[in-house]
Structures are given as C-alpha cells and as structure tokens.
Amino acid sequence: DIQMTQSPPSLSASLGDKVTITCQTSQNINKYIAWYQQKPGKAPRLLIGFTSRLVSGIPSRFSGSGSGRDYSFSISNVESEDIASYYCLQYDNSPNTFGAGTKLELK
Amino acid sequence: QVQMKETGPGLVQTTQTLSVTCTVSGFSLTSYGVHWVRQAPGKGLEWMGIIWGDGSTNYNSALKSRLSISRDTSKSQVFLTMNSLQTDDTAVYYCAGDNYYSGGYYVMDAWGQGASVTVSS
C-alpha cells in the first residue's frame, strides 16, 4: 500500500496569511492526489483533484501543485471560513490512502 | 443531483458484526465506484474499501480479513459488513461516490452525512 506523509499536523494562521500543507508519498502517484476540507461534524468536501484542478465553485485562493512523490496544497489569504482540517488522498492505486490530516487554526 | 445516505445500527456489541447501508440517488452504481471511509472520534480519515462499477472490490489491507462490501443495484444500495468488532472500530462510517472526473480517473466527490457507530462491550 502507498504511504502518505502529510505535514504539518497542525497549523496556526492569521486572517490573510498564506499557508501550505505538504504530502509525500511512498511511491510515484502520477499526480493522482486530491485535497479535502473537513469541518467538525461534517463530511469531507473535495477541493482539488489531479494535483491542481480546482473543483467547480471552490475559491481560487485554494491551489495545489506537485509531481512524482511530492505534493503541496496552499491557501492564500486565509479567511475565517477556511478554519478546518485538510486531508490529502492518493487515488492512483487501490487501496487508496489518506494523509493523517492538518488542522488549521486561527492565531 | 447525487445523494448518498448511510443507515446503521448506532450501537454494536464487541465481537459482533456491523452492517451499514448506503442508499444512493442520482448516481449509477454500475458506472461508478462507491467507497467506504471511516473516522474514529478525534482522528483522521481511514479509507476502508471500494466496490467498482463492475462489482469488483478492493479493501484496506489492515481490514481485509474482516470486511466485505456488496451491493443491490435494483435498490441502489451498497452494503458494508465488518465482523469481529472491537471498541476501536467506534467511528463515523461514510460512503462516498466517485463523482468527480479529473486527469483520467474518478475521485470521491459525493459523500453521505455519515453513520455514527459505537462498539461497546
């Protein structure tokens, strides 16, 4: 199974900051990484697929990049509604695997 | 509009078998995959398994010996069955449909609200 190393586990940011989360995989996943946002008590919401493709309706302050084994996800100009947990998911191989998650908090 | 809804028992005894049903609408089970994902209290997301549009399945290696995913296409339902439950199987169980196509593969984009399951002795 492909292992996902997501960091940092938690992040503290001020409104308007740019934050970046990384995921490193145990093998090349050919850009098949997705990023999800989850708020307490809610199901995850897909933000980005195939490394950098923003899902319709998702604000452009969210972005993703990467290739091979190294991927990143960024939020520019953090807003209060972005306070949530974020997860990467590799879907190149089955079984799919999630990263451990990053909890974004307000400083 | 795609909708997924999980129904489960709420409380299960240790060593017993868990059954959770996912009822879907606006989504073809014979065309797209349905995943099961769980989340223990205060923990991250754990991918459990998938039933593909052709009816084949793949499972998380750590759960494979206890887990089964099946479906009834006539009822638009997908079933998760897991035996030999322990207290650390307490979690919210989500079903999610492969509803987003990007870069050549589908990825989970349609989620149910989750079914909370407590395993107690």
Side-chain angles (χ1 to χ4, degrees):
Chain A
D1 299 3
I2 295 176
Q3 308 303 312
M4 307 285 285
T5 303
Q6 183 175 342
S7 62
S10 64
L11 208 45
S12 183
S14 300
L15 297 178
D17 280 355
K18 178 177 181 179
V19 297
T20 298
I21 299 167
T22 63
C23 268
Q24 184 175 66
T25 60
S26 58
Q27 65 188 66
N28 180 11
I29 59 167
N30 301 300
K31 295 194 169 186
Y32 289 107
I33 191 166
W35 293 92
Y36 292 85
Q37 177 191 67
Q38 188 183 32
K39 296 184 177 180
K42 299 294 187 182
R45 177 173 73 144
L46 178 67
L47 302 178
I48 288 174
F50 197 55
T51 295
S52 60
R53 298 187 181 176
L54 214 57
V55 172
S56 176
I58 301 301
S60 59
R61 64 180 182 274
F62 295 96
S63 64
S65 65
S67 63
R69 297 175 52 224
D70 295 296
Y71 299 86
S72 64
F73 166 83
S74 295
I75 312 172
S76 60
N77 298 315
V78 167
E79 299 189 4
S80 56
E81 66 185 30
D82 301 335
I83 301 309
S85 293
Y86 294 86
Y87 295 89
C88 57
L89 167 80
Q90 72 79 18
Y91 60 105
D92 183 46
N93 279 359
S94 196
N96 294 175
T97 38
F98 284 99
T102 296
K103 187 174 184 179
L104 176 61
E105 298 173 319
L106 268 182
K107 194 178 291 183
Chain B
Q1 180 185 358
V2 177
Q3 291 190 320
M4 324 278 288
K5 184 175 182 180
E6 306 89 346
T7 52
L11 180 65
V12 184
Q13 301 297 310
T14 52
T15 74
Q16 297 300 302
T17 296
L18 171 66
S19 295
V20 185
T21 298
C22 175
T23 302
V24 311
S25 60
F27 185 85
S28 170
L29 294 182
T30 57
S31 297
Y32 307 105
V34 173
H35 305 251
W36 287 96
V37 174
R38 70 177 179 176
Q39 186 170 37
K43 302 296 185 183
L45 302 171
E46 180 180 25
W47 187 87
M48 300 181 72
I50 182 173
I51 185 163
W52 298 96
D54 67 0
S56 62
T57 54
N58 286 106
Y59 300 113
N60 181 319
S61 303
L63 302 173
K64 191 172 186 176
S65 64
R66 302 194 290 136
L67 184 61
S68 176
I69 299 174
S70 59
R71 69 185 185 185
D72 183 337
T73 56
S74 68
K75 294 183 178 179
S76 295
Q77 292 180 323
V78 177
F79 309 106
L80 177 144
T81 304
M82 190 162 67
N83 59 30
S84 304
L85 289 182
Q86 297 301 319
T87 54
D88 60 2
D89 292 313
T90 294
V92 175
Y93 288 77
Y94 295 100
C95 61
D98 271 346
N99 194 47
Y100 182 77
Y101 184 78
S102 181
Y105 290 169
Y106 284 90
V107 68
M108 293 177 270
D109 185 30
W111 294 69
Q113 84 283 0
S116 180
V117 174
T118 300
V119 182
S120 173
S121 56

